[in-house]
Amino acid sequence: MIINPSDQRISHEDYLEGEKVSPIRHEYIRGEVYAMVGGSDAHETIAGNLFALIKNLVRGSSCRAYMNNMKVRIETADVYYYPDVMVTCDSRDRNNGYFKQYPSLIIEVLSPSTEAFNRGDKFADYRQIETLQEYVLVSQNKINIECFRRNSDGRWELFTYAPQETLQLESINFSCSVSEIYEDVLELN
């Protein structure tokens, strides 16, 4: 979650240099920098489960999976965010070691304090990424997964997944049971 905006606007360069040495992560939103709050056990477990499953899938391919500490830059929105899990298969993302610009998949694990922002302003910014094919929201308090998928017309369609279903991510040709995502977190109903 984002908290405490700074008093003055800073440049992209100053932000990126500051992130290299800062003991805490910050997101950059149109010249303002916001400190990131740490996640709960459930948040970290769910994000870790997803990352492990996806990392195993993309290992040895042209795709790369990242968790928590890799920024995505959205130039048109003038932001840098830290997605919980991100996958890029675009060769242009190999040229920058501190942020990616061309992800095909972004996953955010929701908490009560981040849910509105992740569904609203952050998703509006993410939709400006031309390469983004899927945006997935995973609740940490109940078994609920929503996948927003860009269709061939460029419109976003919602796909929801119940506890006994299989999550399908077309952007990376991935599937797993919902129970694998919530392993060690919540009882499936």
Side-chain angles (χ1 to χ4, degrees):
M1 179 56 198
I2 300 172
I3 59 170
N4 299 334
S6 63
D7 291 336
Q8 54 185 320
R9 297 193 182 280
I10 68 168
S11 69
H12 292 253
E13 296 78 14
D14 288 344
Y15 165 72
L16 292 170
E17 288 304 311
E19 283 300 279
K20 291 178 186 177
V21 297
S22 177
I24 59 172
R25 297 177 301 146
H26 301 84
E27 290 189 330
Y28 176 98
I29 303 174
R30 295 172 269 289
E32 295 185 9
V33 175
Y34 298 83
M36 302 295 295
V37 176
S40 68
D41 182 272
H43 181 281
E44 293 303 303
T45 302
I46 291 167
N49 289 346
L50 279 159
F51 176 75
L53 292 163
I54 291 170
K55 176 66 177 165
N56 284 334
L57 173 77
V58 302
R59 181 173 278 120
S61 75
S62 62
C63 298
R64 299 272 174 94
Y66 299 94
M67 181 179 162
N68 289 332
N69 287 315
M70 178 56 69
K71 294 177 286 300
V72 62
R73 178 180 184 198
I74 309 168
E75 192 169 347
T76 56
D78 192 22
V79 298
Y80 292 85
Y81 291 128
Y82 283 97
D84 291 320
V85 178
M86 170 175 55
V87 177
T88 178
C89 302
D90 195 301
S91 61
R92 295 174 289 181
D93 273 334
R94 300 278 172 113
N95 298 328
N96 193 309
Y98 294 100
F99 61 85
K100 305 303 171 194
Q101 292 182 272
Y102 308 102
S104 54
L105 170 66
I106 291 177
I107 301 172
E108 296 284 5
V109 179
L110 302 175
S111 67
S113 60
T114 65
E115 185 167 359
F117 182 66
N118 286 334
R119 289 182 182 284
D121 290 344
K122 190 178 252 190
F123 187 28
D125 290 338
Y126 282 156
R127 287 193 304 263
Q128 295 181 49
I129 303 171
E130 291 182 15
T131 57
L132 188 64
Q133 298 171 40
E134 290 173 310
Y135 179 52
V136 180
L137 298 174
V138 182
S139 174
Q140 67 173 305
N141 299 321
K142 60 184 176 183
I143 299 169
N144 184 42
I145 299 174
E146 298 168 302
C147 175
F148 294 89
R149 185 173 298 133
R150 193 184 310 242
N151 67 23
S152 59
D153 295 329
R155 295 177 187 254
W156 291 89
E157 296 180 276
L158 172 61
F159 297 84
T160 59
Y161 295 91
Q164 305 307 319
E165 293 185 323
T166 299
L167 172 66
Q168 302 284 334
L169 299 177
E170 293 179 0
S171 60
I172 57 171
N173 195 26
F174 170 84
S175 65
C176 74
S177 68
V178 169
S179 62
E180 289 178 275
I181 295 166
Y182 286 96
E183 183 178 355
D184 298 327
V185 180
L186 297 170
E187 293 294 321
L188 296 176
N189 296 328

